[in-house]
Amino acid sequence: MGMVSKLYLIIGCLSIIKGSPLLLFANRKDVRIVDGNNSRGNSTVVAGNLEDAAAVDFLYEDRSVFFTDVSQEMIKRTWFNGSEITVNVITTGLISPDGLAVDWLGKKIYWTDSETKRIEVANLDGSYRKVLYWNDLDQPRAIALDPLNGYMYWTDWGETPKIERAGMDGTHAHRSVIIKENIHWPNGLTLDYEDSQIYWADAKNAFIHSCKFDGSDRRVVVEGELPHPFALTLYDRTLYWTDWKERSIYSCDKITGSNRRVILRDIYSPMDIHSFSARRQPKDTNENACDQHNGGCSHLCLMSPAHPFYTCACPTGIKLKLDNKTCNEGIKLKLDNKTCNEGYEQLLLLARRTDLRRISLDTPDYTDVVLELTNVQHAIAIDFDPVDNQVYWTDDEVHAIWRANIDGTGQEKVIDNHLMHPDGIAVDWIGRNLYWTDTGTDRIEVSRLNGTSRRVLIAEDLEEPRAITLDPISGYMYWTDWGKKPKIERANMDGSGRLALVNASLGWPNGIAVDHAEMKIYWGDASLDKIEVANYDGTGRRVLVNENLPHLFGFSLLGDYIYWTDWQRRSIERVNKRSGIDRKTIVDQLPDLMGLKAVNLVKIEGNIFSLG
Ligand SMILES: *[C@@H]1O[C@H](CO)[C@@H](O)[C@H](O)[C@H]1NC(C)=O
Ligand SMILES: *[C@@H]1O[C@H](CO)[C@@H](O)[C@H](O)[C@H]1NC(C)=O
Ligand SMILES: *[C@@H]1O[C@H](CO)[C@@H](O)[C@H](O)[C@H]1NC(C)=O
Ligand SMILES: *[C@@H]1O[C@H](CO)[C@@H](O)[C@H](O)[C@H]1NC(C)=O
Ligand SMILES: *[C@@H]1O[C@H](CO)[C@@H](O)[C@H](O)[C@H]1NC(C)=O
Ligand SMILES: *[C@@H]1O[C@H](CO)[C@@H](O)[C@H](O)[C@H]1NC(C)=O
């Protein structure tokens, strides 16, 4: 009989013993369960051979356990029905998933990440993942749900320690700080559904306190004598908690703090804890709003504190339509291994040295999502073919040009010989050709999109050719050169008719973009720290931005905005292309930012030629 089937028997037996909960706890190298009276004197492994299991929760209904492994940066699920199955639920875009909670009514998982500084939600299988909160989060840790009332609660032990409450639907209307005084390292948090109370443990203040759901009526449960309380849970009148320093699980009366007992000692490293019981996941007397046809929602149906007590929501980066029920549809994108029909309208594609990412511009969270590619070693330049929805990028380490579908599938090398430093790339989406610059060979070359019919277009008088962009409608290509005599040049797309448009007051012109409709060229200079604009012929030159541009690198134009990456600020920003104002940071504190391409995916008939 396997370990898990044995456990199944234990659960079977204990579920008939009243007043004796099972305690589920994460123990870094495994997840365990212990009888709350500890009548057997030891604990049993639920999931073993883990690297760093930190947070844990369960869905009693199907006896499944969810846990985070902060070292593997994953969320996993296991069942103890005798099958010994463990599946990966979330495998990308996590750094330090410290808190986890299961919505047993809506069938969702919620989690915190203290490094990405986000609170997210997904279906139990990891699909339809969405960022719910991303502002004013510093070090979010424990998270607890009250799906009966549509609220979630979390602790934040960052610069301004606090406990917050917000709607489980991610709307901002119901978010508020409920505890901000006398709080330092709020670790664990648990809810008492019977008495409508919150309990939390503060490791610095060495206490466990409680209050009402709105933060009022704060009380002391245990104070000033706890070495390092971490997580806590409730069952009936009993409070259970883990202590890091003592490496033990304790219990006491939830109101008086009396009857203190040690449940289990000499634990490897006790982390999160839950009493594993149906009573900790009470059912609503009424049917919940999401039960009937998913609330009419095309994707996520999330519990909400306000009438009609649910909200339809879309996976990260996808807009909800005006009916407030259906998500935008578009090209097929693979999201976390699940193929979906959701549609993005506007995206940023980002080359980030060892990966490529996409950032939706449709929703305000601007979450960056890594494309599932292999062997990205030093990606520099990036462009997009709006006809086949393919991403093209150069790699300075592998000395190759690659392409892949926008969902990361179909990755293939397009050019892999006679390349030294291909630092600029441009797709001719009309002629179906690929253009690139090479600062090593000092050439500009062209080939078909699949790499055949390769040809050198310009090989003379190039010092350090960098950015390249095309206006296939006018038949021009534009490029920058940051050599000893920096310049911006133009030629016909076959290399003829070469002309220096700008040859004065340039340093390192790193980025270039053209605006066919307004007949303008824009460029960014990483030495003079400026973004400038001029007419197509180089006349009418003027400065758009000359502040806080320490090292501009990637550069792209879409609609009314210029987008750029900055090495030093580790940011992606945008500014209005006409006024140079309305500046906004899209992404902050992301290192190794290289090329950037802003893309419009909405294909209106006849509009394709204005893309790119
Ligand atoms: C477990 O402990 C509870 C509370 O201390 C008690 O009521 C119950 O009888 C105990 N059960 C067993 C099997 O010891
Ligand atoms: C406790 O340990 C004994 C032997 O060390 C083992 O037979 C028993 O199954 C364990 N009980 C639990 C609840 O893990
Ligand atoms: C256990 O649960 C898993 C997941 O729901 C299921 O695939 C499996 O068939 C179940 N096994 C048993 C023995 O019930
Ligand atoms: C959708 O939600 C918005 C904002 O809550 C509201 O103003 C609008 O009336 C809703 N539309 C429909 C069709 O319900
Ligand atoms: C490459 O593309 C060209 C034109 O698009 C096509 O004619 C040719 O057959 C393709 N070659 C290969 C090897 O796919
Ligand atoms: C710079 O460009 C101007 C105008 O095109 C031209 O007259 C001048 O000779 C160029 N200077 C150099 C050094 O190339």
Side-chain angles (χ1 to χ4, degrees):
M1 190 161 57
M3 186 184 286
V4 178
S5 3
K6 217 183 316 175
L7 185 66
Y8 191 43
L9 285 184
I10 296 171
I11 291 165
C13 297
L14 288 180
S15 57
I16 53 170
I17 305 173
K18 284 231 155 46
S20 173
L22 286 172
L23 301 172
L24 178 70
F25 66 99
N27 185 35
R28 292 202 191 270
K29 62 181 184 182
D30 49 39
V31 172
R32 288 174 179 258
I33 208 152
V34 61
D35 163 6
N37 287 38
N38 200 13
S39 47
R40 282 177 175 79
N42 54 0
S43 56
T44 303
V45 174
V46 172
N49 292 320
L50 309 176
E51 284 182 33
D52 200 353
V56 67
D57 201 2
F58 63 91
L59 180 62
Y60 194 79
E61 201 174 292
D62 75 345
R63 310 295 195 270
S64 62
V65 170
F66 292 80
F67 57 92
T68 69
D69 190 312
V70 292
S71 165
Q72 291 185 354
E73 304 181 354
M74 287 195 201
I75 298 175
K76 303 188 189 202
R77 179 185 195 179
T78 191
W79 283 264
F80 34 80
N81 57 4
S83 63
E84 307 196 18
I85 301 171
T86 297
V87 299
N88 295 335
V89 178
I90 303 286
T91 58
T92 60
L94 299 176
I95 306 179
S96 194
D98 293 339
L100 178 70
V102 172
D103 168 9
W104 64 94
L105 292 183
K107 305 288 186 296
K108 303 279 181 291
I109 49 169
Y110 285 72
W111 68 93
T112 63
D113 190 311
S114 60
E115 289 286 322
T116 65
K117 303 185 194 299
R118 294 178 188 134
I119 295 176
E120 299 190 57
V121 66
N123 282 331
L124 298 178
D125 65 359
S127 62
Y128 297 162
R129 174 175 175 184
K130 180 184 178 60
V131 175
L132 291 176
Y133 296 101
W134 63 91
N135 285 328
D136 303 317
L137 292 174
D138 192 3
Q139 304 273 308
R141 177 167 277 163
I143 179 166
L145 305 176
D146 176 14
L148 298 165
N149 295 302
Y151 278 112
M152 61 198 270
Y153 298 80
W154 71 86
T155 63
D156 189 324
W157 55 281
E159 200 106 335
T160 312
K162 60 197 170 183
I163 298 175
E164 290 200 67
R165 162 165 101 157
M168 282 169 64
D169 56 359
T171 54
H172 292 260
H174 303 282
R175 182 174 172 181
S176 62
V177 175
I178 55 170
I179 298 289
K180 56 174 195 260
E181 312 279 321
N182 191 12
I183 181 165
H184 276 97
W185 294 340
N187 279 331
L189 175 74
T190 195
L191 303 181
D192 182 341
Y193 304 107
E194 282 144 33
D195 294 345
S196 301
Q197 297 276 318
I198 304 165
Y199 288 79
W200 76 96
D202 190 312
K204 179 81 185 282
N205 289 336
F207 63 50
I208 294 172
H209 280 189
S210 74
C211 66
K212 288 191 177 150
F213 278 169
D214 61 3
S216 65
D217 197 17
R218 183 169 173 172
R219 289 158 194 255
V220 174
V221 182
V222 187
E223 189 145 271
E225 43 177 322
L226 302 177
H228 197 119
F230 190 70
L232 71 176
T233 187
L234 278 164
Y235 189 80
D236 275 355
R237 271 188 68 103
T238 310
L239 188 68
Y240 299 87
W241 72 94
T242 57
D243 191 291
W244 272 11
K245 211 171 264 169
E246 300 281 297
R247 294 171 42 232
S248 299
I249 297 171
Y250 294 93
S251 72
C252 72
D253 184 274
K254 73 176 183 187
I255 298 181
T256 61
S258 59
N259 292 339
R260 182 100 60 94
R261 292 204 301 140
V262 183
I263 305 296
L264 195 63
R265 288 183 203 281
D266 300 324
I267 306 172
Y268 176 71
S269 184
M271 306 288 288
D272 200 5
I273 188 166
H274 285 274
S275 50
F276 181 86
S277 156
R279 293 175 54 182
R280 292 293 295 160
Q281 302 196 325
K283 297 285 182 196
D284 209 339
T285 41
N286 309 314
E287 188 174 57
N288 87 70
C290 293
D291 278 351
Q292 283 282 343
H293 310 295
N294 197 37
C297 307
S298 69
H299 290 73
L300 292 162
C301 182
L302 302 176
M303 303 292 173
S304 156
H307 188 79
F309 305 109
Y310 74 97
T311 303
C312 296
C314 302
T316 297
I318 292 163
K319 254 199 306 213
L320 191 65
K321 289 189 186 169
L322 290 174
D323 66 1
N324 292 340
K325 300 224 176 252
T326 351
C327 301
N328 251 352
E329 283 159 32
I331 60 162
K332 280 195 195 272
L333 281 192
K334 213 181 61 172
L335 298 168
D336 307 313
N337 282 328
K338 278 104 197 163
T339 304
C340 305
N341 273 318
E342 297 86 3
Y344 295 109
E345 292 178 11
Q346 298 195 334
L347 275 182
L348 290 178
L349 293 169
L350 172 68
R352 230 209 95 225
R353 196 180 289 267
T354 53
D355 60 52
L356 305 190
R357 300 187 180 203
R358 62 164 188 262
I359 299 161
S360 170
L361 294 172
D362 301 346
T363 55
D365 53 285
Y366 301 130
T367 303
D368 53 303
V369 177
V370 177
L371 303 191
E372 289 175 52
L373 300 166
T374 54
N375 200 26
V376 179
Q377 294 189 20
H378 195 159
I380 300 260
I382 190 164
D383 202 10
F384 182 68
D385 170 21
V387 176
D388 289 337
N389 289 320
Q390 287 201 302
V391 185
Y392 287 75
W393 71 99
T394 68
D395 192 311
D396 251 24
E397 185 70 35
V398 184
H399 304 292
I401 297 175
W402 298 80
R403 70 176 171 189
N405 297 320
I406 196 176
D407 62 9
T409 60
Q411 182 180 353
E412 61 179 336
K413 263 186 207 167
V414 177
I415 304 280
D416 65 356
N417 57 46
H418 300 104
L419 289 174
M420 285 176 73
H421 297 297
D423 288 351
I425 192 173
V427 170
D428 169 10
W429 67 95
I430 296 177
R432 316 305 293 153
N433 293 317
L434 184 66
Y435 288 72
W436 68 93
T437 62
D438 192 318
T439 55
T441 61
D442 294 334
R443 297 199 288 224
I444 294 175
E445 297 191 59
V446 67
S447 73
R448 305 297 288 170
L449 287 177
N450 59 15
T452 60
S453 312
R454 179 173 174 181
R455 202 148 65 80
V456 175
L457 284 181
I458 309 229
E460 281 168 19
D461 290 328
L462 290 177
E463 279 190 276
E464 304 292 355
R466 238 278 293 158
I468 182 163
T469 192
L470 306 172
D471 176 3
I473 302 157
S474 310
Y476 288 130
M477 61 180 183
Y478 298 81
W479 71 92
T480 68
D481 189 320
W482 54 273
K484 276 198 220 72
K485 290 182 207 151
K487 52 192 184 240
I488 294 170
E489 296 195 73
R490 182 186 89 186
N492 296 319
M493 281 167 66
D494 62 2
S496 66
R498 184 174 174 184
L499 180 68
L501 296 177
V502 182
N503 63 7
S505 306
L506 290 173
W508 298 330
N510 257 345
I512 188 158
V514 295
D515 187 342
H516 175 77
E518 303 200 355
M519 296 180 67
K520 298 268 195 254
I521 54 173
Y522 305 85
W523 68 92
D525 193 309
S527 166
L528 304 179
D529 303 340
K530 281 180 190 167
I531 294 174
E532 294 191 68
V533 56
N535 297 323
Y536 253 17
D537 59 3
T539 62
R541 180 177 176 179
R542 77 189 160 89
V543 174
L544 269 184
V545 182
N546 60 3
E547 277 175 355
N548 292 323
L549 290 169
H551 201 120
L552 176 144
F553 193 79
F555 196 80
S556 191
L557 173 73
L558 179 66
D560 287 339
Y561 296 101
I562 293 167
Y563 297 84
W564 71 92
T565 63
D566 193 296
W567 281 4
Q568 208 163 312
R569 289 168 68 89
R570 300 172 162 206
S571 63
I572 299 174
E573 292 179 77
R574 66 138 219 232
V575 78
N576 184 286
K577 70 177 180 185
R578 295 186 194 92
S579 62
I581 58 171
D582 191 11
R583 185 170 169 172
K584 184 169 167 181
T585 300
I586 306 284
V587 171
D588 213 2
Q589 298 306 323
L590 194 60
D592 298 329
L593 299 177
M594 300 289 164
L596 184 71
K597 177 68 184 179
V599 168
N600 189 348
L601 289 168
V602 183
K603 286 172 189 161
I604 302 158
E605 206 64 45
N607 181 40
I608 188 87
F609 298 123
S610 66
L611 301 178

